[in-house]
Amino acid sequence: MNRRELLQALAAAGLGHLALPVRAQAQTTDAGGNPLAIPPASPKARVIVVGGGMAGTTFCKYMRMWGDAVDVTLVERFASFRSPILSNELLVGRRTSADLTFGYTALRDRYGVRVITSAVTEVDPVAAIVRLADGRTLSGDRVVLATGIEFDPMPGLTDANAMPHAWQGGAQAVLLKNQMAAMPANGTMVLTIPKTPYRCPPGPYERACTIADWMKVRKPRAKLIVLDANPDFVAHRDNFSNAFFGLHSQVIEYHTGVDVTFADVAQRTLHTSTGQIQGDVINLIRRQRAPAIVRRAGLATATERRFAPVDVLSYASTVAPRVHVIGDSSATTQPKAGHIANQEAKVCADALARIFGGGQPDPQPVTNSACYSTITATQAAWLTAVFQYDPVSRTMVPAPDSSAASVGWDREHFEEMEEWFDALMADSFA
């Protein structure tokens, strides 16, 4: 198998690698005679899912496909999901918000998932109860938290929109795009990279390359200052260092080991461990942690009490076994990224399907990670890895000889990126 075939396998067949049977769904029809799946009338178990991003949506779909009469309810505060994947393309005008927006119609109509649009105010991890902002209370046999990330507060940042992170897709990405467009042609933009772990390890470096390439055309005398809290490139070191110090060296000024301690909104200035930095536009990507709903439930006890430790055979919380935590909120040895969130969701759905059927989780789960990084407007690089369960450490570890990365970047990889994205989003949302 060559590299393109491998990545296509990861993006298509590999996304659904668990070989469980697809269960027939009870169906009715809409007014036009189109078939609609309906929730089971006599469910064998009930699962409440909080969060409709990559992890939560994928779990709902595959739990209904594999779960054999398991009732699934998704609670999500927004009516649609706005993908942070490829949001760097939105910043420079190559994609629109509509291109990155996905709804929950397929979950409801094709798979019979109950979808509730509401915020969650409390999770009782012992009783498996979820309380909603609209006053309702939901109870189930299991609760799955797929709540994504939250950002550390930043002293002095009185208005988050003044220095947007644009790290969750949606409104802030559009805001940062508009700020970039309004920047003087000889202006300065500052991009900060938080300490690990954070969502999408290559993402900030990809963003720097994407913006630098855009600046060459749209803001030809502008400069991009990158402040990295880490001692070196976190991912894709060879390609990003070649891009930073070679291709984009006239635009990017890269500093490592820089902690941001205070944000002066009025002066557009960041106070850092190495001095003050001013910028016309500041993309302040702050340090990340599991959201408050996870922390209030007492589940975030790992990684400086930032994320929730889990048993990766089922993603059950090690603190409260009736609660499962998937995606970016969990503390695992796998990267925090959309492709891995999709994979973790399937392992969790598989495990619960087996448990509800009287069995045990698969003792040897395998996940894969693949991602692309745009280096120019038409060229991209890629990297991939496969993880397998290690019973000694009880963690997911890289499979031997499974990690790979492109040597450089080119147009073909850019085209493959679009195929990968379409396949990934279809697997989660269609």
Side-chain angles (χ1 to χ4, degrees), residues 44-66:
K44 67 161 56 175
R46 298 181 185 275
V47 180
I48 304 164
V49 182
V50 180
M54 298 298 298
T57 304
T58 306
F59 173 87
C60 289
K61 173 180 175 178
Y62 282 89
M63 187 76 260
R64 287 289 292 136
M65 289 174 63
W66 296 341

Side-chain angles (χ1 to χ4, degrees), residues 150-419:
E150 187 177 276
F151 298 89
D152 279 6
M154 173 60 65
L157 188 63
T158 54
D159 178 6
N161 288 336
M163 298 179 180
H165 53 74
W167 210 239
Q168 293 173 306
Q172 280 220 341
V174 176
L175 176 63
L176 182 59
K177 173 187 176 181
N178 293 337
Q179 291 180 358
M180 289 166 52
M183 184 176 67
N186 63 343
T188 297
M189 181 172 175
V190 181
L191 185 159
T192 69
I193 302 175
K195 289 181 179 177
T196 57
Y198 60 80
R199 168 183 283 175
C200 189
Y205 308 103
E206 175 195 0
R207 177 169 291 182
C209 290
T210 303
I211 292 172
D213 189 69
W214 173 86
M215 282 180 168
K216 292 175 182 178
V217 177
R218 298 291 299 276
K219 309 287 179 179
R221 290 174 288 134
K223 177 172 64 173
L224 176 62
I225 299 175
V226 179
L227 306 178
D228 194 342
N230 303 287
D232 199 356
F233 294 97
V234 169
H236 236 333
R237 188 188 190 285
D238 289 347
N239 282 330
F240 285 129
S241 62
N242 288 337
F244 275 38
F245 304 130
L247 179 66
H248 299 311
S249 61
Q250 293 182 337
V251 179
I252 294 176
E253 182 180 308
Y254 180 53
H255 303 270
T256 60
V258 180
D259 290 316
V260 179
T261 57
F262 185 86
D264 187 332
V265 172
Q267 298 299 318
R268 293 184 176 274
T269 300
L270 297 179
H271 295 230
T272 79
S273 55
T274 59
Q276 297 184 21
I277 301 290
Q278 189 174 41
D280 298 290
V281 176
I282 298 179
N283 179 196
L284 182 57
I285 305 174
R286 290 173 273 150
R287 200 168 185 206
Q288 294 155 32
R289 58 188 180 178
I293 195 71
V294 178
R295 303 196 315 273
R296 286 199 301 267
L299 305 178
T301 60
T303 325
E304 302 174 23
R305 303 189 73 82
R306 290 179 173 274
F307 297 100
V310 294
D311 174 358
V312 290
L313 291 180
S314 67
Y315 289 85
S317 164
T318 59
V319 176
R322 293 182 69 186
V323 177
H324 301 251
V325 186
I326 56 177
D328 295 341
S329 292
S330 65
T332 78
T333 52
Q334 300 159 110
K336 298 183 183 300
H339 193 123
I340 279 290
N342 169 288
Q343 298 284 282
E344 292 179 359
K346 289 177 181 173
V347 173
C348 183
D350 175 29
L352 285 182
R354 295 170 187 262
I355 289 169
F356 294 149
Q360 295 295 320
D362 180 355
Q364 296 180 315
V366 175
T367 60
N368 63 63
S369 173
C371 74
Y372 288 81
S373 297
T374 52
I375 306 299
T376 74
T378 59
Q379 297 178 316
W382 59 268
L383 58 83
T384 185
V386 175
F387 296 86
Q388 61 187 20
Y389 183 70
D390 175 25
V392 177
S393 64
R394 298 184 180 181
T395 63
M396 301 297 289
V397 300
D401 301 322
S402 71
S403 298
S406 65
V407 179
W409 49 86
D410 61 31
R411 183 182 295 271
E412 182 181 7
H413 301 338
F414 193 96
E415 295 170 353
E416 292 166 359
M417 175 186 73
E418 297 184 330
E419 295 174 8

